[in-house]
Amino acid sequence: MCKYCDKTYVKNATKMQQHIAKCKKIPQGPTHAAARSSTQGENESVSAVSESDTHSSASGPSGIRGFFDFMDDTSQKNADECFARAIYATGSPLMLTSNVYWKRFLNVLRPAYIPPTRHALSTHLLDEEFSRVQAKVKQTIDQADCISVISDGWSNIRGQGIINYIITTPQPVFYKSVDTKENRHTGQYIADELKVIINDLGPDKVFALVTDNAANMKVAWADVEETYPHITAIGCAAHTLNLLLKDIMALKTMDTLNKRAKQVLKYVKAKQVTSATFLSKQKEKNKSTTLKLPSITGWGGVVIMFDSLLEGKESLQEMAISQSVGIDSDIKKVILDDVFWERVSSSQKILKPIAAAIAKIEGDGAILSDVQCLFAELKEEIQTILPTSLLLKAEETAVVKSLEQRREFYMKPVHAAAYMLDPKYYDKGILSGEEINGAYAVITAMSDHLGLDKGKVLGSLAKYRTKQGLWKGDGIWQSCQHISAATWWKGLCESEALAPVASILLQIPPSSAASERNWSLFANTHTKVRNRLTNVRVEKLVGIRANLRLFEPDTEPSSTRLESDTEEEDSELDAEEVDMLLDDDEVQEESID
């Protein structure tokens, strides 16, 4: 490409020489005159020009090398791979290189670089990068000493059923997704699909299956556990806590409060004048909080809604007494009602600890042993708060009963076993006699599966629980505050017969949150604008985007991912959605049952 008139001759240096000699846009002057004369007198073959002579010189034009850039096939291939990887990692449009502004930008960076076409980005470049990433996924899974399978279902933008599979190593990696096509999501179908995944991974290496608590999943659990007795199927702790929130919000006092709060929010958000006035008043107070309606995906959104109301209370009350805004009398009555605000504030004292527990258990660092302690702490906190709440006595009793029922419904002996073997919970004796016996049974069964001497394993357990032998000193117990429980067992207690069992139990995740987060990537990839993407291509794009971090183990996630990669579904609904919900006071019932 000529640097002065943008004339391009692809792989034709002779024509470029002839053009430079005649180009009318080359400035006059001794330097440029020398450049013209050098091209006119140059008779050497283009093949004799070295690679270093075909790139622009920083010191200024010197002969033909000052006027055109060149990339060999290897450089072009490497550039294409890096460019494609950046496209896939950020979820950018595959047609990006068709945009004239991107073309110009890339041309400024490197005139000789010809970016890949949309077709190349969606075919062979995508296939090659997906293969590279999948090889890394396989390597990561092969190197893990034990793994768990997390699975969840979703409907894409076209309403097609998709099931994804996440493997914890213990770091979660996206393994694959399956288009269920015309198949119904029955327990038998789900079990058959899970067994295919387990067999692909190697059954002896899989120790847990984590899904939501739906009825069809329980049917699948029984089938999988019958086929593979050493695999424990468990429900999602976060889903269980969401059901607890649902139980509490179904109480008459809470239900009435919820409806009134949504009535206020919908009214303000649905009208252009009230919405704009609210935002203006918030800005005057240096507050960025907007009013947020709960999403349809979880009851934790109620906590966000109440928080947004409390943050905007002053602005809402100013609007209610303003003659210029003209708020309806029934809405104004709620906004100016002190009892309403007292109940919102009081309800948050009950709901926030549960929402915080959900957030904790959904973290990638959460493990199975955390659940026992979390439920115990939650029960203690709620029982302390309830006497000062505005709930009726019968409702207070119902909250405690619901918490106990949800805990009993969720817990399995494997939770007790993990809790018993987590050194950071050693001094917190909250297990019942029945739970301790159940934990012994789990440890014994796993010892059998691993081919360990049960007598030695139980003897090691006895020494651990009584702080004898290796566990006699204080130092080893202090160290557990600085490393993960599994690392503690594998690194410091490796010589003990109990170590293999403990390290496996303490790598099992307590929730299917990793699968839920993976759906955020699907939603950000397969959008309304990109609804023509095939499910196979979406799987490849998500697989690359989710697992590229495996190549950057020491890099901060913020530098390898966009913020949207980990965003939960927005809990704030737009004006059009508000209109759809104006007559719907049970917006959250759809996805929780």
Side-chain angles (χ1 to χ4, degrees):
M1 175 182 286
C2 177
K3 298 170 68 175
Y4 298 97
C5 69
D6 293 338
K7 185 72 174 177
T8 302
Y9 295 95
V10 180
K11 297 184 179 180
N12 198 326
T14 301
K15 289 185 178 181
M16 177 60 77
Q17 288 176 307
Q18 295 170 354
H19 168 77
I20 292 172
K22 300 175 183 179
C23 183
K24 296 180 180 180
K25 292 190 177 182
I26 297 179
Q28 299 300 314
T31 302
H32 299 289
R36 288 181 188 277
S37 62
S38 68
T39 61
Q40 292 170 346
E42 189 169 352
N43 296 316
E44 297 179 358
S45 169
V46 175
S47 62
V49 181
S50 68
E51 184 178 351
S52 62
D53 289 335
T54 63
H55 289 76
S56 299
S57 172
S59 60
S62 177
I64 193 171
R65 66 187 178 187
F67 296 94
F68 74 97
D69 192 9
F70 174 75
M71 290 184 74
D72 59 26
D73 290 344
T74 301
S75 298
Q76 176 76 34
K77 185 176 184 296
N78 289 339
D80 283 350
E81 290 175 356
C82 289
F83 185 80
R85 190 169 299 132
I87 292 284
Y88 307 143
T90 57
S92 300
L94 300 181
M95 62 182 296
L96 184 143
T97 55
S98 301
N99 183 280
V100 64
Y101 299 106
W102 273 99
K103 285 183 177 180
R104 291 174 184 172
F105 170 67
L106 294 171
N107 181 257
V108 168
L109 291 180
R110 186 72 188 270
Y113 177 57
I114 302 172
T117 63
R118 175 182 180 178
H119 178 74
L121 286 169
S122 60
T123 53
H124 72 272
L125 287 174
L126 178 62
D127 294 340
E128 290 167 5
E129 182 65 6
F130 181 68
S131 296
R132 186 182 81 97
V133 172
Q134 284 300 97
K136 186 67 173 178
V137 169
K138 184 178 184 305
Q139 180 188 49
T140 302
I141 292 174
D142 288 345
Q143 291 175 346
D145 55 354
C146 67
I147 55 179
S148 299
V149 178
I150 302 176
S151 181
D152 192 27
W154 183 67
S155 294
N156 66 15
I157 195 67
R158 292 192 291 265
Q160 297 169 311
I162 308 291
I163 297 176
N164 69 358
Y165 298 95
I166 307 295
I167 308 303
T168 60
T169 63
Q171 179 186 23
V173 297
F174 172 53
Y175 186 63
K176 70 181 297 183
S177 64
V178 174
D179 180 354
T180 59
K181 299 180 180 178
E182 71 278 2
N183 294 295
R184 297 180 60 197
H185 292 192
T186 63
Q188 187 60 56
Y189 172 76
I190 293 171
D192 291 342
E193 290 295 313
L194 283 167
K195 285 188 281 188
V196 169
I197 298 296
I198 291 169
N199 286 328
D200 286 346
L201 294 167
D204 289 341
K205 204 171 188 176
V206 180
F207 286 90
L209 167 64
V210 187
T211 71
D212 63 29
N213 306 316
N216 57 345
M217 285 299 182
K218 291 184 177 180
V219 173
W221 292 356
D223 194 327
V224 170
E225 289 180 328
E226 182 179 357
T227 307
Y228 311 103
H230 68 284
I231 295 179
T232 300
I234 61 175
C236 174
H239 185 244
T240 300
L241 291 171
N242 256 306
L243 292 174
L244 174 61
L245 281 175
K246 178 188 174 184
D247 294 342
I248 294 173
M249 294 308 299
L251 299 174
K252 185 175 181 180
T253 299
M254 299 298 289
D255 182 53
T256 301
L257 180 64
N258 185 31
K259 289 178 178 178
R260 287 182 179 175
K262 285 198 291 185
Q263 183 184 19
V264 171
L265 264 69
K266 291 175 185 178
Y267 178 89
V268 174
K269 289 174 70 68
K271 297 179 180 293
Q272 185 273 328
V273 173
T274 53
S275 179
T277 303
F278 176 80
L279 293 176
S280 176
K281 289 185 175 295
Q282 288 290 90
K283 187 175 181 180
E284 290 173 3
K285 297 174 177 58
N286 294 319
K287 293 182 178 180
S288 59
T289 307
T290 59
L291 297 176
K292 296 180 176 67
L293 282 163
S295 70
I296 63 173
T297 57
W299 285 88
V302 174
V303 177
I304 298 174
M305 176 179 70
F306 286 167
D307 262 344
S308 72
L309 266 175
L310 292 170
E311 283 289 319
K313 175 183 176 181
E314 189 178 350
S315 296
L316 288 170
Q317 291 188 329
E318 288 176 6
M319 290 167 58
I321 61 177
S322 172
Q323 297 296 321
S324 60
V325 180
I327 291 179
D328 290 352
S329 59
D330 55 338
I331 301 297
K332 183 185 297 186
K333 182 179 179 180
V334 175
I335 293 175
L336 298 177
D337 184 2
D338 290 337
V339 175
F340 168 75
W341 292 107
E342 186 181 355
R343 286 182 174 174
V344 171
S345 180
S346 176
S347 69
Q348 286 294 72
K349 294 178 182 178
I350 300 173
L351 301 178
K352 274 194 168 183
I354 303 174
I358 293 174
K360 180 179 178 180
I361 214 67
E362 285 184 335
D364 279 345
I367 54 178
L368 208 59
S369 57
D370 295 329
V371 181
Q372 285 276 1
C373 190
L374 184 144
F375 269 100
E377 291 175 350
L378 196 58
K379 181 177 180 180
E380 182 179 353
E381 189 170 2
I382 287 179
Q383 286 181 324
T384 301
I385 293 167
L386 282 176
T388 61
S389 73
L390 299 179
L391 295 178
L392 301 174
K393 287 296 182 183
E395 292 176 329
E396 291 178 15
T397 303
V399 170
V400 175
K401 183 179 180 180
S402 179
L403 175 58
E404 292 174 346
Q405 287 177 338
R406 291 299 180 186
R407 179 191 179 283
E408 184 179 349
F409 164 80
Y410 172 75
M411 289 295 185
K412 285 191 168 186
V414 69
H415 294 88
Y419 177 83
M420 179 184 288
L421 297 175
D422 192 330
K424 67 177 178 287
Y425 296 130
Y426 176 84
D427 293 326
K428 298 181 179 181
I430 61 174
L431 295 180
S432 66
E434 183 180 352
E435 288 173 325
I436 291 173
N437 289 335
Y440 290 160
V442 169
I443 293 170
T444 302
M446 188 167 289
S447 299
D448 283 337
H449 173 72
L450 295 174
L452 302 174
D453 186 321
K454 287 187 293 185
K456 289 183 178 179
V457 171
L458 293 175
S460 181
L461 176 62
K463 288 189 293 181
Y464 165 76
R465 287 177 57 78
T466 56
K467 288 189 177 182
Q468 295 181 29
L470 176 66
W471 296 288
K472 187 176 182 180
D474 292 335
I476 196 167
W477 295 99
Q478 293 171 0
S479 66
C480 72
Q481 303 300 323
H482 306 285
I483 54 177
S484 71
T487 301
W488 189 80
W489 278 98
K490 289 190 287 186
L492 297 177
C493 309
E494 185 181 14
S495 60
E496 291 291 331
L498 182 60
V501 175
S503 64
I504 288 171
L505 290 173
L506 293 169
Q507 292 183 70
I508 298 175
S511 79
S512 59
S515 186
E516 295 284 351
R517 284 191 288 273
N518 187 251
W519 289 133
S520 295
L521 289 183
F522 270 86
N524 291 333
T525 301
H526 203 184
T527 63
K528 291 179 181 179
V529 177
R530 308 176 77 187
N531 64 355
R532 293 176 62 189
L533 286 171
T534 65
N535 290 331
V536 172
R537 193 161 290 161
V538 171
E539 179 187 17
K540 291 179 179 179
L541 290 169
V542 171
I544 294 169
R545 198 172 174 184
N547 295 323
L548 269 176
R549 59 194 168 83
L550 298 176
F551 294 92
E552 314 284 348
D554 300 320
T555 304
E556 284 294 321
S558 59
S559 66
T560 59
R561 282 188 166 190
L562 297 180
E563 192 173 313
S564 60
D565 289 353
T566 53
E567 278 183 348
E568 298 296 326
E569 182 177 348
D570 192 354
S571 62
E572 184 176 358
L573 308 179
D574 59 28
E576 185 175 329
E577 290 170 307
V578 170
D579 291 338
M580 295 169 61
L581 294 174
L582 283 175
D583 297 322
D584 176 20
D585 284 326
E586 303 301 329
V587 63
Q588 302 171 83
E589 296 290 339
E590 300 176 20
S591 62
I592 293 296
D593 290 329

